[in-house]
């Protein structure tokens, strides 16, 4: 009985309908929170005493970097569920996560580089976080490359799921080794802003942005998931009913 | 033939499979040992192939004195990086030999249907692969390091670090090779899958080599390389087996 | 009630948008052979691979002695052998070595057993030749020797008589006949006529 919800989540028509109903409930709050967070971060928060106005890019950078990891974890969990219980919808979720996660990773890299210019005088610094972020981008690209390389959808689902699970085990190892590497070669990084001593006027907009980005991911995921389900189930009769009305 | 006749015949001819009923006649360990011996026999028959990763490794090492500088002082500084980049690339190249032939001629399918643990059989294959490519590369790495200006005292450290690191590289490679089975052109994708996962090995391995060259103690990075190898041995064969099964679907 | 039986229940298999197996069902008891016919692309190979557990059907199940084979796939694999369209032989090993390594992952073999099996399929003359020097028909005979050496009750054969001359085709029919006479079971996808003596049922797959 307690498993009925689990089984319903395995049914594409149910998930398609659910995704359609839920999208606005995530999308609008995401938009409001992001707009509010930007206003708070760009207009209300005082300039940093060291970095001036340059620090304000963290309001995009930090949530993007956070999301890049969170999306990868979500993707790996969905892939693992699909692999173990052979649930097609879970694979569709994992497949929908990858481009979103890669985009967040890319955004984190670009904003990190833009931040680096005023801070370090160069766009690229082999900072451990940026380096980890770059490796994460390659993990996403590998995942998407494997999916694209296998024609049969089911095999692509399962092979890429194994890769996602292997990847998520490796992410902390990679992060640790990169930090270890950096500690040998370099003075501590300048990019140490998210200290607990951050004043509330700076911190609150950051937290609002974090929540906004999380909801944005949810909304984007639901939109992509619907497209993914439509593509996969294009031969099924329920599609005509869902779209025909 | 009617039912009575056939059962009479059955009674006459003792069913020769009867001894195998119950547990499999062969333990997975014995089966894996057989798979290892098979791969070594085959490699010996095609030993020309084994030279290729070694020659590639030597070639990559040769690029740097030509591209950077022939001064041993400068080369010594970049030697760990050169060595480990060459090691990663050469082991990537060697993955070509790991599963491809066995996938084509149906051996992997028979392994998957043998009633034995596919994980154990693939672990045996990966072990054979390491013995045939990882170990020779590890033996060659000190030579390459010497040619880049490393002192003779660094040889044991380099041998140990490359030997240990290449175990993990073979295991990661086995996952990548299994997942890309059945794709026509998998070369570039295989590198995109395995190189990011191999970076911790590169980091710890290069550090160990650097410490070996400068004559310092390299216990810390060696321990980390060892930890990675243990983790790889525990987990990678399962992922490789899953990959092979998926390729057979 | 037979002690061993293979029951295939209502198998449905999709490959992408292709409905490959549409409700295949049959029961095979001890001492029975099943001749699987159908045009190219009618799903003969897919059915064999699904029964072997390589492919996952969308619906239906395969039972061995009453239990779902998915419950313990390895135990089921220990009772069956699947001979695919291409013989699973290594070009750079001799016929004898091939059998020792291939069947040797399943059970212990003696030189005598291998010699006997090779002689039975008429392959004794080239037992020590490399597979790459053998003709397609000779390779097929070596694969058949491996099949008998596995000593398992269930044979899944995909076109077992491919590349064989009239004599070789009689050999395949004879091997299957002996196997089921001993209480074994065989499932063979066939193109040509095959005269197997014993209890043979036929299943035609529609394309």
């Amino acid at each position: 009985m307690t498993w009925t919800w689990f089984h319903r989540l395995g049914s594409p028509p149910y998930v398609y309908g659910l995704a359609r109903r839920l999208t606005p409930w995530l999308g609008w709050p995401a938009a409001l929170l992001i707009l509010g967070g930007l206003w708070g971060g760009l207009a209300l928060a005082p300039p940093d005493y060291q970095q001036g106005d340059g620090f304000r890019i963290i309001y995009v950078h930090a949530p993007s970097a956070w999301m890049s990891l969170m999306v990868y974890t979500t993707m790996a969990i969905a892939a693992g569920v699909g692999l173990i219980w052979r649930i097609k919808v879970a694979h569709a979720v994992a497949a929908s996560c990858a481009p979103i996660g890669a985009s967040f990773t890319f955004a984190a890299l670009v904003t990190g580089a833009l931040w680096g210019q005023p801070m370090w005088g160069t766009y690229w610094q082999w900072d451990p976080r940026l380096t980890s972020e770059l490796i994460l981008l390659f993990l996403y690209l590998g995942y998407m490359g494997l999916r694209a390389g296998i024609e049969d959808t089911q095999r692509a689902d399962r092979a890429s799921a194994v890769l996602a699970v292997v990847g998520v085990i490796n992410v902390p190892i990679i992060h640790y080794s990169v930090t270890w590497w950096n500690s040998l070669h370099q003075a501590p990084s300048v990019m140490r802003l998210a200290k607990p001593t951050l004043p509330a006027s700076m911190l609150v907009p950051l937290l609002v942005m974090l929540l906004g980005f999380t909801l944005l991911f949810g909304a984007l995921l639901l939109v992509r998931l619907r497209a993914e389900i439509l593509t996969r189930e294009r031969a099924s009769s329920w599609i005509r009913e869902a779209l025909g009305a | 033939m009617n039912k009575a006749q056939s059962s009479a015949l059955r009674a006459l001819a003792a069913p020769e499979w009867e001894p195998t009923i119950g547990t499999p006649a062969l333990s997975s360990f014995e089966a894996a040992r057989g798979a290892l011996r098979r791969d070594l026999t085959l490699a010996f028959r095609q030993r020309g192939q084994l030279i290729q990763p070694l020659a590639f490794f030597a070639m990559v090492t040769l690029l740097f004195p030509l591209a950077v500088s022939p001064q041993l002082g400068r080369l010594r500084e970049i030697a760990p990086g050169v060595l480990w980049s060459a090691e990663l690339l050469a082991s990537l190249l060697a993955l070509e030999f790991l599963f491809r032939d066995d996938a084509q001629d149906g051996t992997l399918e028979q392994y998957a249907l043998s009633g034995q643990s596919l994980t154990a059989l693939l672990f045996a294959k990966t072990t054979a692969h390491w013995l045939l490519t990882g170990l020779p590369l590890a033996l060659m790495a000190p030579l390459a390091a010497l040619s880049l200006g490393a002192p003779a005292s660094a040889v044991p450290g380099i041998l140990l670090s490359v030997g240990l690191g290449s175990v993990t590289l073979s295991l990661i490679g086995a996952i990548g090779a299994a997942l890309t089975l059945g794709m026509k052109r998998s070369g570039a994708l295989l590198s995109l899958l395995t190189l990011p996962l191999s970076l911790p090995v590169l980091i710890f391995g290069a550090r160990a080599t650097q410490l070996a060259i400068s004559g310092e103690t390299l216990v810390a990075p060696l321990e980390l390389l060892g930890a990675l190898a243990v983790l790889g041995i525990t987990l990678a064969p399962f992922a490789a087996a899953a990959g092979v099964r998926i390729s057979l679907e | 009630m037979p002690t061993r039986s293979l029951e295939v229940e209502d198998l449905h298999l999709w490959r992408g948008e292709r409905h490959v197996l549409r409700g295949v069902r049959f029961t095979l008891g001890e001492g029975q052979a099943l001749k699987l016919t159908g045009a190219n692309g009618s799903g003969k190979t897919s059915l064999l691979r699904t029964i072997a557990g390589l492919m996952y059907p969308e619906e239906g199940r395969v039972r061995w002695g009453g239990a779902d084979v998915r419950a313990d796939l390895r135990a089921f694999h220990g009772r069956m052998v699947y001979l695919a369209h291409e013989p699973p032989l290594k070009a750079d090993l001799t016929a004898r070595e091939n059998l020792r390594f291939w069947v040797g992952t399943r059970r212990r073999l003696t030189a005598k057993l291998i010699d006997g099996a090779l002689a039975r399929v008429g392959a004794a003359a080239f037992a020590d030749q490399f597979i790459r020097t053998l003709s397609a028909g000779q390779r097929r005979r070596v694969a058949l020797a491996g099949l008998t050496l596995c000593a398992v009750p269930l044979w899944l054969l995909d076109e077992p008589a491919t590349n064989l001359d009239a004599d070789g085709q009689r050999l395949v029919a004879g091997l299957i006949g002996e196997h089921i006479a001993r209480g074994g079971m065989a499932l063979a996808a066939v193109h040509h006529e095959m005269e197997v003596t014993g209890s043979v049922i036929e299943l035609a797959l529609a394309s």
Side-chain angles (χ1 to χ4, degrees):
Chain A
M1 283 169 287
T2 46
W3 287 90
T4 34
W5 64 270
F6 194 70
H7 282 295
R8 265 207 311 217
L9 281 182
S11 141
Y14 176 77
V15 174
Y16 181 84
L18 187 71
R20 187 162 58 181
R21 284 196 304 278
L22 276 182
T23 310
W25 290 96
L26 295 177
W28 287 110
L32 291 177
L33 283 169
I34 289 173
L35 282 177
L38 282 178
W39 179 60
L42 300 186
L44 296 186
D48 185 67
Y49 73 99
Q50 264 183 327
Q51 304 183 14
D53 282 331
F55 93 98
R56 292 184 198 276
I57 203 150
I58 63 155
Y59 292 110
V60 182
H61 174 78
S64 300
W66 160 248
M67 290 316 296
S68 66
L69 273 174
M70 170 156 153
V71 176
Y72 199 92
T73 315
T74 311
M75 182 173 92
I77 292 172
V81 168
L83 202 58
I84 295 168
W85 287 289
R86 302 190 78 86
I87 298 175
K88 286 179 185 172
V89 175
H91 286 304
V93 170
S96 315
C97 279
I100 306 174
S103 310
F104 277 127
T105 315
F106 188 69
L109 279 170
V110 170
T111 51
L114 288 178
W115 194 5
Q117 172 57 23
M119 295 305 117
W120 300 317
T122 166
Y123 282 110
W124 186 259
Q125 179 76 265
W126 289 98
D127 167 86
R129 289 193 212 182
L130 280 183
T131 311
S132 294
E133 204 67 35
L134 185 62
I135 300 172
L136 189 61
L137 183 64
F138 284 122
L139 289 180
Y140 274 118
L141 292 179
Y143 176 90
M144 294 195 287
L146 185 61
R147 287 204 76 88
I150 304 177
E151 272 170 47
D152 182 81
T153 313
Q154 282 182 42
R155 269 179 52 198
D157 277 345
R158 298 177 57 72
S160 60
V162 173
L163 183 70
V165 173
V166 170
V168 89
I169 295 172
N170 266 275
V171 163
I173 300 175
I174 292 171
H175 181 76
Y176 171 78
S177 63
V178 168
T179 314
W180 189 86
W181 156 78
N182 191 260
S183 68
L184 300 171
H185 294 279
Q186 220 168 282
S189 150
V190 200
M191 212 186 275
R192 289 257 180 269
L193 212 100
K195 279 175 279 191
T197 52
L198 209 63
S201 55
M202 287 179 173
L203 187 63
V204 170
L206 187 59
L207 294 177
V208 170
M209 286 298 279
L210 267 180
L211 189 60
F213 267 57
T214 312
L215 292 178
L216 174 67
F217 160 57
L220 289 175
L221 176 63
L222 292 179
V223 172
R224 286 203 75 92
L225 180 62
R226 275 165 57 198
E228 187 74 36
I229 290 179
L230 283 183
T231 319
R232 285 159 181 251
E233 302 277 316
R234 59 187 176 275
S236 313
S237 54
W238 69 265
I239 295 270
R240 244 159 280 138
E241 288 161 29
L243 296 182
Chain B
M1 192 184 296
N2 63 33
K3 196 93 186 172
Q5 272 177 306
S6 81
S7 55
L9 233 168
R10 202 184 312 163
L12 280 176
E16 60 191 68
W17 57 82
E18 282 307 344
T20 67
I21 280 175
T23 52
L26 213 62
S27 72
S28 282
F29 176 74
E30 287 171 295
R33 208 171 48 188
L36 177 68
R37 199 158 59 211
R38 194 194 76 122
D39 278 16
L40 296 180
T41 312
L42 272 170
F44 184 71
R45 300 260 160 92
Q46 308 157 338
R47 49 192 172 276
Q49 281 189 349
L50 297 178
I51 311 292
Q52 289 172 26
L54 293 175
F56 179 80
F57 182 86
M59 235 3 263
V60 174
T61 317
L62 171 69
L63 298 179
F64 287 83
L66 295 177
V68 181
S69 146
Q71 292 170 5
L72 285 184
R74 282 187 70 185
L75 287 174
R76 191 179 302 126
E77 215 167 287
I78 59 165
V82 173
L83 219 63
W84 277 90
S85 305
E87 165 70 22
L88 249 66
L89 295 176
S91 73
L92 191 63
L93 185 85
L95 289 181
E96 182 98 5
F97 309 125
L98 183 50
F99 294 137
R100 196 196 49 194
D101 286 352
D102 282 354
Q104 270 168 8
D105 61 27
T107 302
L108 285 183
E109 193 168 75
Q110 288 298 325
Y111 278 176
L113 297 175
S114 64
Q116 308 287 358
S117 153
L118 182 60
T119 308
L121 291 169
L122 295 186
F123 181 64
K125 279 196 70 63
T126 312
T127 308
H129 182 256
W130 178 79
L131 288 172
L132 295 164
T133 60
L135 191 60
L137 282 175
L139 294 174
M140 207 169 127
L143 287 181
L146 291 176
S147 77
L148 296 173
S153 60
V155 168
I158 292 172
L159 193 64
L160 211 57
S161 60
V162 179
L164 208 50
S166 60
V167 172
T168 317
L169 292 183
S170 288
L171 289 159
I172 294 171
I175 302 176
L179 289 177
T180 52
L181 275 176
M183 292 169 63
K184 282 182 202 80
R185 277 178 296 275
S186 58
L189 181 61
L190 187 57
S191 55
L192 187 58
L193 298 189
T194 52
L195 285 181
L197 301 177
S198 309
L199 293 178
V201 178
L202 173 87
I203 290 172
F204 299 137
R207 176 65 180 164
T209 307
Q210 193 182 29
L211 292 174
I213 289 175
S214 60
E216 291 164 75
T217 169
L218 57 158
V219 177
L222 275 187
E223 279 175 351
L224 290 166
L225 280 176
L228 287 180
V230 169
L231 189 73
I233 288 171
T234 350
L235 297 181
F238 288 97
V244 166
R245 279 211 189 85
I246 291 161
S247 80
L248 293 173
E249 264 179 35
Chain C
M1 184 71 192
T3 51
R4 271 196 291 265
S5 66
L6 178 76
E7 292 154 57
V8 168
E9 293 174 3
D10 209 23
L11 284 186
H12 285 269
L13 180 81
W14 289 81
R15 296 310 273 176
E17 282 166 37
R18 232 159 46 84
H19 198 170
V20 187
L21 300 179
R22 305 172 203 176
V24 178
R25 50 166 70 234
F26 62 84
T27 303
L28 198 63
E30 284 190 338
Q32 277 191 314
L34 186 137
K35 217 187 313 186
L36 193 59
T37 58
N40 286 330
S42 59
K44 296 194 295 290
T45 301
S46 298
L47 177 59
L48 290 174
R49 293 173 61 84
T50 306
I51 293 171
L54 290 170
M55 290 170 140
Y56 280 72
E58 266 70 18
E59 279 173 52
R61 55 167 53 89
V62 178
R63 292 178 186 276
W64 175 253
D68 192 333
V69 298
R70 291 253 164 239
D72 190 352
L73 210 48
R74 266 177 65 187
F76 175 60
H77 287 157
R79 303 286 167 276
M80 55 143 270
V81 56
Y82 167 62
L83 206 55
H85 201 265
E86 293 296 320
L89 304 171
K90 281 276 164 204
D92 287 319
L93 296 176
T94 67
R96 200 191 297 274
E97 286 171 331
N98 260 294
L99 294 183
R100 191 159 63 226
F101 286 126
W102 163 33
V103 186
T105 50
R106 310 181 65 115
R107 57 173 294 205
R108 272 185 204 87
L109 290 173
T110 58
K112 209 171 156 187
L113 270 174
I114 295 177
D115 286 343
L118 284 168
R120 174 66 186 90
V121 299
F126 42 87
D128 290 312
Q129 284 185 31
F130 286 116
I131 290 295
R132 78 176 116 77
T133 66
L134 302 183
S135 74
Q138 288 172 319
R139 292 177 193 195
R140 173 63 58 182
R141 282 172 191 265
V142 176
L144 291 171
L147 175 71
T148 60
L149 273 177
C150 286
V152 289
L154 177 63
W155 288 1
L156 302 176
L157 311 173
D158 197 352
E159 308 282 358
T162 314
N163 298 321
L164 287 175
D165 52 17
D167 178 49
Q169 294 183 10
R170 275 195 300 278
L171 170 72
V172 174
L175 288 176
I176 296 176
E178 277 174 36
H179 182 61
I180 60 175
R182 280 194 305 252
M185 297 171 219
L187 214 117
V190 289
H191 256 321
H192 314 284
E193 258 321 299
M194 196 184 285
E195 290 304 321
V196 177
T197 45
S199 162
V200 180
I201 44 181
E202 192 166 330
L203 180 73
L205 292 181
S207 46

